[in-house]
Amino acid sequence: MSSAEGPIPTAVADGPGEEQLLPQLVAHLREHRTRLRHEWADRINASGLLHAMTPQEMAAETTSVYDNYVEVLETGSVEALQRYARDLSERIIPRGVETHEVVGIVLLLRDVLARSLFEKYQRDFGLLNRVLDAYEPAANRIANTVAVSFVEERERVIRQQQDSIRELSTPVLPVRERLLILPIIGVLDRERARQLTEQLLNGIRTHRARVVVIDITGVPEVDESVANHLVQTVDASRLMGAGVIITGLSPKIAQTLVTIGVDLSKMDTIGDLQGGLEEAERLLGYTAGRDDGAEP
């Protein structure tokens, strides 16, 4: 907001300088901390925000947010605010708090504090304008920083969860000495195929594997990029000294591989997992008459 054109009113000219406005309003917000925080909490409840948190948790977090909010108004330290916003996000995301709730409570706090400043300075319109000119940009910057930090943290958590799920869904299993099996279930997209390759190569190195059986019985379909990635996985495994047998090719996937022109000469394929394991044992020199795990 800006004052009207014309001479500056005496009240404004005699008022505090620009460098004193923020400290003055910060002192006001700290002096009335309890009342304003309770008013803010009532607005949050009335808006139905933070419903996933208990009253005790909400009281603790709103107190912490209020104090940090006022501190940032005083210091202008965006770095400190970013650190706080990340810490806040780490605490409340696991409780099921959504992005719109975080943005909503910060905007409610901005409005509650703005109303308080309006009540304090309403008799001096010129001074009120200057106070709000000092407060609003800082408050908006706080709201934006908290929102961005929360979204970034939420995306990090989602990526971490996705990686964990993918890792669980593509386990590299040692069947016997020098033999690994990689059963794949579900949709095989490019990112998951990349992660699969990393896990497999690490497994080959860890277990000193010579043969790997990749079973894709549970994969509904693959596209050209994923099919080519499988070929690259086979090549990379061979470079590390392990042969690869692919089992469980469905008619649909087999037709896709032929249609898109995948170099099938690089793939050793067997119809089912049992057949693949038998072929792997033959390559390793195991015989059916020996005990499981016995060397030839």
Side-chain angles (χ1 to χ4, degrees):
M1 300 174 66
S2 60
S3 58
E5 295 183 0
I8 298 176
T10 304
V12 176
D14 294 337
E18 294 297 333
E19 71 282 356
Q20 296 177 310
L21 287 177
L22 272 176
Q24 186 179 96
L25 69 88
V26 165
H28 167 75
L29 298 179
R30 283 189 170 138
E31 179 183 355
H32 299 280
R33 171 178 178 269
T34 300
R35 176 179 62 83
L36 293 174
R37 190 184 65 79
H38 286 161
E39 181 181 340
W40 178 40
D42 290 342
R43 293 278 302 277
I44 292 174
N45 286 325
S47 301
L49 302 175
L50 302 185
H51 58 278
M53 299 174 63
T54 66
Q56 293 78 13
E57 289 173 335
M58 192 173 77
E61 292 299 350
T62 53
T63 299
S64 182
V65 170
Y66 186 99
D67 291 342
N68 276 273
Y69 191 102
V70 175
E71 182 177 347
V72 172
L73 282 176
E74 180 179 38
T75 64
S77 174
V78 176
E79 292 77 12
L81 177 61
Q82 290 172 331
R83 287 194 299 270
Y84 171 71
R86 285 193 294 268
D87 291 342
L88 172 66
S89 302
E90 289 177 0
R91 292 195 301 273
I92 65 178
I93 287 176
R95 302 177 196 175
V97 177
E98 300 291 339
T99 304
H100 76 274
E101 294 183 275
V102 173
V103 175
I105 67 170
V106 174
L107 293 179
L108 283 177
L109 178 57
R110 182 197 65 179
D111 293 345
V112 166
L113 301 188
R115 286 173 179 269
S116 176
L117 295 174
F118 180 82
E119 292 173 358
K120 178 177 176 62
Y121 297 104
Q122 61 181 323
R123 294 186 178 180
D124 190 334
F125 187 73
L127 181 56
L128 173 63
N129 276 345
R130 293 170 57 207
V131 168
L132 293 181
D133 281 346
Y135 170 73
E136 287 181 347
N140 290 335
R141 185 169 65 251
I142 291 173
N144 182 66
T145 301
V146 171
V148 170
S149 297
F150 185 88
V151 170
E152 289 176 347
E153 177 62 21
R154 189 174 185 82
E155 290 177 347
R156 185 193 68 80
V157 170
I158 291 173
R159 287 194 301 269
Q160 188 178 56
Q161 291 172 340
Q162 289 174 335
D163 289 343
S164 298
I165 292 172
R166 284 171 174 158
E167 186 172 349
L168 288 173
S169 64
T170 54
V172 178
L173 307 174
V175 178
R176 60 164 69 196
E177 188 176 0
R178 306 295 181 90
L179 173 58
L180 300 178
I181 179 174
L182 179 61
I184 307 173
I185 299 174
V187 176
L188 188 59
D189 57 20
R190 182 181 301 179
E191 177 60 25
R192 189 178 177 204
R194 181 196 62 75
Q195 187 183 46
L196 176 152
T197 300
E198 292 179 1
Q199 289 180 254
L200 179 57
L201 297 181
N202 287 333
I204 291 172
R205 182 179 58 186
T206 300
H207 299 284
R208 300 172 61 204
R210 287 175 50 199
V211 181
V212 176
V213 178
I214 300 178
D215 182 66
I216 60 174
T217 303
V219 177
E221 61 183 14
V222 298
D223 60 19
E224 182 174 358
S225 65
V226 172
N228 289 325
H229 199 101
L230 283 175
V231 174
Q232 294 171 8
T233 300
V234 171
D235 289 341
S237 299
R238 285 175 176 167
L239 286 175
M240 296 190 68
V244 177
I245 299 172
I246 297 179
T247 66
L249 280 173
S250 68
K252 182 177 181 181
I253 292 179
Q255 187 174 10
T256 299
L257 296 179
V258 172
T259 301
I260 64 181
V262 171
D263 186 357
L264 299 177
S265 65
K266 294 185 176 182
M267 288 189 175
D268 187 1
T269 62
I270 302 245
D272 57 25
L273 178 58
Q274 181 62 37
L277 290 174
E278 291 173 357
E279 175 64 12
E281 291 180 339
R282 186 190 68 77
L283 293 173
L284 288 171
Y286 292 104
T287 61
R290 295 179 183 274
D291 294 334
D292 189 55
E295 292 288 349

